[in-house]
Amino acid sequence: MSRQRQIFFILLSGLLIYLNSLRNNFVWDDILVIVNNDFIKGWSLLGEIFSKPLFYLTNNEYLYYRPILALSFVFDYSLWGLNPFGFHLTNIILHLCAGLLIYRLFGILLNESHLAFCAGLFFILHPLNTSVVNYVTSRADILLLIFSVFALTLFLKAMNYKHYLLSLFCFSLALLSKESALVFPVLLVFAGEMHYLVMQTSQGSEPKAKMRRIWYIVFIAVAIGYIFLRMKIIGVGFNLSVSGKIGILSILATFCMVILHYLKLIYFPFGLHMLSNIPIIQLQDNWFVLPLVIAIILAVFFIIYRLDKIAFFLTGFFIIWVSPIALLSLKNPEYFVQQMAIMEHHWLYIPATALIVLTFYLIRRINKPWSERFYKIIFISFALFLAIITVKENTYWKNNSSLFKQTIRYVKNSSTAYRNLGWIYLSKSDPGSAIQMYKTALGLKQADKAKAIVYKELAYAYLLNNDAQRAGEAAWESIKLNPDYAASHGLLGLLYLEKEPNRALEECKKALELDPFDSMAFNNLLQQSRSDRGITTYLITKYTKMLGGQRNFNAYRIYRSLGVVYLYADMDSMAMSNIKKALRVNPYDVKTNNALAICYVKKSEVLLAERFFKRSLRLNPFDKEVYGNLAFFYSELGRNKEAALMRKKAYSINLFD
């Protein structure tokens, strides 16, 4: 098959097997990183993308600095708004580009057209990669691959310093796409030396070894510079320690078991699901055994090197890319407390292809009369097998409901999975089923702070199920486990609001002391402020004092809070002034735009009110509150058909389904 036909077949195959994923919704962290992320909704906050961590606008721990990923979402949003179709289409296109780059890279490294075709095709088809292509937030893995492979290809083919500089630039983009790019310099040295010194290809254009090795040092220096930028300037550190105490031998043994499980999934990808985990193997460190184990591993690699250098390269390529898993698999506290190691499928997005190519390379080396026909049968059968499973796997990523139901079929020890299903049932107005999910989650061993979150969510489910007594009991259990959990105090304030207003006030104030922007406590106090001007004074004083020490991006939340307080107090000019200040800092915040629309409603400026309500819905077409406000607005104007349509959307919109 000619090179052009190989490329066409790779692209066509990838497009066909992922067509059914274009109907999928946003799932899991997509809601935080895309739907609720103001940074991606226009170009005004571009500076914030490069100066803030990925989850800055949430309450999550700041562990990720991925500005290139966020920038890709800005491009998507500028084209599609928050239509999931567009984001999924971009993921598919990028995945196809990644497949072509894999095809090109292995063509250079192995100097064998058919093995390059094997690499590109099976990379595109493998169902393990559905967790990257269908999960929009996992685009970080695709971008990491694209920039890393670009950088490696340019380095291997470099003829002068310009090629090296371009390779370095691509490596920098890889670092800004995902932290795993830090292993790239190791791969660069390994692949560079194997390509030029062992495989002895492209001898006529090989740069001098001295120059090449100087550039190795430059790449390592850039990686160190990235670490400094991230930790000292951006303020996002690296959590390199595992979740608890565990010896080196235990880490190595668990890593080996993870790899064995991955090998099974590479060749027999049945029952794929999120949040896979296996028991941690507990071994006592022995400083005689450890060097012996390392010596055996090195001896095995040396034997592979002497027997077949291509097999050695492909094995090394796999090991280098999966090596971070040794620590990553032990870093999830939810599973570590259960003495389990996690195994994310997207960690295999780059390395799995090397093992598949190695397999077909070894099959091709069989020198028998029947071997060529046998090879073709295996190749075609495996390709069809992978394609069929991939098409099926895409359906499990249709929405959060199908994703987490598929997960708990296989994972019975994940509090995260049951909690997410609880929220899904609540979004469907089924608090009874949500309660069962939360109770199941509470039956799992987990840290106190994690259990406190589940109790709070259980309390909310009881509240929606009209069981105030059990809701209160669950809320207090949450506070006992984590006294500093603002959301539980805010919920308790809501529960006390009708019968014990003084205790409600006390709990809401406690919540705002812990988290000044806790929505439940803030909204409770706003409701009470209508009959108690003292609460209005308390809120204005609180946020005005905060504003004295906040003149950065965070100030928009303070201005917004002040504006809403003034709005409830019928101090319309002060409300308008503060809300407009919030918009100047962050023009893409839905709550601020919605509040400004209400200000214009109160001023009877109909056109401006409608404009900002609609702007709010463009920023987040899944926001039920804005639909409800717009429905009331249209109803007051006598535009009953439009009001009915907004009420229908407010009822039917469900981001979780």
Side-chain angles (χ1 to χ4, degrees), residues 49-80:
I49 286 176
F50 284 90
S51 63
K52 301 288 193 299
L54 185 64
F55 285 97
Y56 181 77
L57 291 172
T58 73
N59 292 323
N60 290 36
E61 188 177 0
Y62 300 159
L63 293 176
Y64 304 117
Y65 176 60
R66 299 174 181 177
I68 300 300
L69 171 65
L71 188 61
S72 76
F73 294 149
V74 176
F75 281 105
D76 270 344
Y77 183 85
S78 66
L79 293 173
W80 310 98

Side-chain angles (χ1 to χ4, degrees), residues 159-311:
M159 300 298 294
N160 54 52
Y161 76 94
K162 292 181 181 179
H163 293 108
Y164 284 127
L165 285 174
L166 189 55
S167 174
L168 192 65
F169 176 68
C170 289
F171 170 53
S172 301
L173 294 178
L175 285 170
L176 297 176
S177 298
K178 191 174 182 182
E179 299 77 6
S180 306
L182 283 169
V183 304
F184 178 80
V186 179
L187 178 70
L188 185 71
V189 174
F190 174 75
E193 295 305 299
M194 285 294 297
H195 182 64
Y196 291 120
L197 302 180
V198 179
M199 296 182 181
Q200 299 179 355
T201 59
S202 304
Q203 285 293 312
S205 61
E206 179 185 356
K208 292 181 180 179
K210 183 179 179 180
M211 177 61 70
R212 185 173 68 253
R213 285 162 187 165
I214 288 174
W215 279 98
Y216 291 156
I217 297 172
V218 175
F219 275 79
I220 294 170
V222 167
I224 294 171
Y226 161 77
I227 294 172
F228 178 83
L229 166 75
R230 180 187 167 107
M231 297 182 69
K232 299 298 182 181
I233 299 177
I234 307 300
V236 185
F238 291 94
N239 185 6
L240 298 177
S241 61
V242 297
S243 296
K245 291 183 179 180
I246 184 171
I248 297 176
L249 276 177
S250 293
I251 292 174
L252 286 175
T254 304
F255 175 64
C256 290
M257 290 304 298
V258 169
I259 296 302
L260 288 174
H261 179 80
Y262 278 159
L263 291 176
K264 170 186 169 293
L265 291 179
I266 289 171
Y267 297 106
F268 303 99
F270 296 111
L272 299 178
H273 53 275
M274 296 285 285
L275 306 173
S276 301
N277 53 83
I278 61 169
I280 294 172
I281 298 175
Q282 296 287 357
L283 297 173
Q284 291 293 326
D285 274 348
N286 184 310
W287 295 108
F288 170 75
V289 175
L290 183 59
L292 181 63
V293 171
I294 294 173
I296 291 172
I297 293 172
L298 293 175
V300 169
F301 275 98
F302 180 74
I303 292 170
I304 296 173
Y305 173 77
R306 294 302 299 267
L307 290 175
D308 192 300
K309 293 178 178 57
I310 290 180

Side-chain angles (χ1 to χ4, degrees), residues 55-122:
F55 285 97
Y56 181 77
L57 291 172
T58 73
N59 292 323
N60 290 36
E61 188 177 0
Y62 300 159
L63 293 176
Y64 304 117
Y65 176 60
R66 299 174 181 177
I68 300 300
L69 171 65
L71 188 61
S72 76
F73 294 149
V74 176
F75 281 105
D76 270 344
Y77 183 85
S78 66
L79 293 173
W80 310 98
L82 283 181
N83 186 344
F85 172 90
F87 287 81
H88 286 293
L89 178 62
T90 301
N91 264 30
I92 293 171
I93 292 171
L94 289 173
H95 180 60
L96 296 179
C97 292
L100 292 184
L101 286 169
I102 288 287
Y103 169 79
R104 172 66 173 156
L105 176 65
F106 280 89
I108 293 171
L109 291 170
L110 305 180
N111 199 26
E112 167 59 59
S113 173
H114 189 78
L115 287 178
F117 176 61
C118 173
L121 181 65
F122 289 127

Side-chain angles (χ1 to χ4, degrees), residues 320-358:
I320 289 170
W321 272 116
V322 300
S323 57
I325 294 173
L327 292 179
L328 289 174
S329 62
L330 301 172
K331 290 180 65 61
N332 190 309
E334 177 182 351
Y335 301 104
F336 193 89
V337 75
Q338 302 177 39
Q339 291 298 290
M340 303 293 285
I342 194 167
M343 301 176 299
E344 299 283 8
H345 295 162
H346 66 89
W347 290 340
L348 289 179
Y349 186 67
I350 295 177
T353 301
L355 287 191
I356 295 175
V357 173
L358 174 60

Side-chain angles (χ1 to χ4, degrees), residues 116 137 174 213 220 226 271 294 379 414 426 452 464 471 480 519 543 607:
T137 302
R213 285 162 187 165
I220 294 170
Y226 161 77
I294 294 173
F379 187 94
S414 172
L426 288 181
L464 295 181
K480 287 177 186 176
S519 59
Y543 291 112
L607 293 178

Side-chain angles (χ1 to χ4, degrees), residues 589-606:
D589 178 59
V590 174
K591 292 181 180 178
T592 308
N593 280 274
N594 182 54
L596 186 58
I598 294 172
C599 284
Y600 284 124
V601 169
K602 294 186 73 174
K603 292 181 67 177
S604 300
E605 297 188 30
V606 174

Side-chain angles (χ1 to χ4, degrees), residues 230-516:
R230 180 187 167 107
M231 297 182 69
K232 299 298 182 181
I233 299 177
I234 307 300
V236 185
F238 291 94
N239 185 6
L240 298 177
S241 61
V242 297
S243 296
K245 291 183 179 180
I246 184 171
I248 297 176
L249 276 177
S250 293
I251 292 174
L252 286 175
T254 304
F255 175 64
C256 290
M257 290 304 298
V258 169
I259 296 302
L260 288 174
H261 179 80
Y262 278 159
L263 291 176
K264 170 186 169 293
L265 291 179
I266 289 171
Y267 297 106
F268 303 99
F270 296 111
L272 299 178
H273 53 275
M274 296 285 285
L275 306 173
S276 301
N277 53 83
I278 61 169
I280 294 172
I281 298 175
Q282 296 287 357
L283 297 173
Q284 291 293 326
D285 274 348
N286 184 310
W287 295 108
F288 170 75
V289 175
L290 183 59
L292 181 63
V293 171
I294 294 173
I296 291 172
I297 293 172
L298 293 175
V300 169
F301 275 98
F302 180 74
I303 292 170
I304 296 173
Y305 173 77
R306 294 302 299 267
L307 290 175
D308 192 300
K309 293 178 178 57
I310 290 180
F312 174 76
F313 167 75
L314 292 170
T315 305
F317 185 96
F318 174 80
I319 292 297
I320 289 170
W321 272 116
V322 300
S323 57
I325 294 173
L327 292 179
L328 289 174
S329 62
L330 301 172
K331 290 180 65 61
N332 190 309
E334 177 182 351
Y335 301 104
F336 193 89
V337 75
Q338 302 177 39
Q339 291 298 290
M340 303 293 285
I342 194 167
M343 301 176 299
E344 299 283 8
H345 295 162
H346 66 89
W347 290 340
L348 289 179
Y349 186 67
I350 295 177
T353 301
L355 287 191
I356 295 175
V357 173
L358 174 60
T359 303
F360 282 92
Y361 167 72
L362 294 176
I363 293 174
R364 268 205 118 166
R365 289 197 62 189
I366 300 173
N367 191 17
K368 299 290 183 181
W370 47 266
S371 61
E372 187 65 25
R373 180 175 295 179
F374 173 74
Y375 177 86
K376 289 180 179 178
I377 292 172
I378 294 295
F379 187 94
I380 294 171
S381 299
F382 193 57
L384 289 173
F385 167 69
L386 295 181
I388 292 169
I389 295 180
T390 294
V391 172
K392 182 180 179 183
E393 286 296 320
N394 292 336
T395 62
Y396 296 131
W397 291 86
K398 181 180 179 182
N399 52 43
N400 282 286
S401 181
S402 58
L403 174 63
F404 286 103
K405 284 179 180 178
Q406 168 74 353
T407 301
I408 64 169
R409 285 179 58 193
Y410 298 94
V411 183
K412 305 297 184 184
N413 64 333
S414 172
S415 174
T416 296
Y418 288 111
R419 281 182 53 218
N420 277 279
L421 271 174
W423 271 108
I424 289 163
Y425 284 124
L426 288 181
S427 73
K428 295 180 177 181
S429 301
D430 184 3
S433 296
I435 289 167
Q436 293 304 313
M437 292 299 104
Y438 293 134
K439 284 184 175 180
T440 304
L442 287 171
L444 300 172
K445 186 178 180 182
Q446 53 196 304
D448 285 350
K449 287 188 176 181
K451 187 169 283 191
I453 295 173
V454 184
Y455 267 117
K456 186 271 296 183
E457 293 175 354
L458 176 63
Y460 186 63
Y462 276 131
L463 179 62
L464 295 181
N465 204 39
N466 299 314
D467 192 339
Q469 181 179 345
R470 289 184 178 177
E473 292 170 357
W476 273 115
E477 287 296 326
S478 176
I479 291 171
K480 287 177 186 176
L481 291 166
N482 183 7
D484 296 330
Y485 188 26
S488 292
H489 288 285
L491 181 58
L492 207 54
L494 177 62
L495 290 168
Y496 287 142
L497 189 58
E498 186 175 339
K499 295 183 178 180
E500 299 181 69
N502 289 333
R503 290 190 69 181
L505 180 61
E506 181 183 336
E507 289 298 329
C508 288
K509 285 184 176 181
K510 175 68 173 176
L512 290 188
E513 290 302 314
L514 296 167
D515 177 4

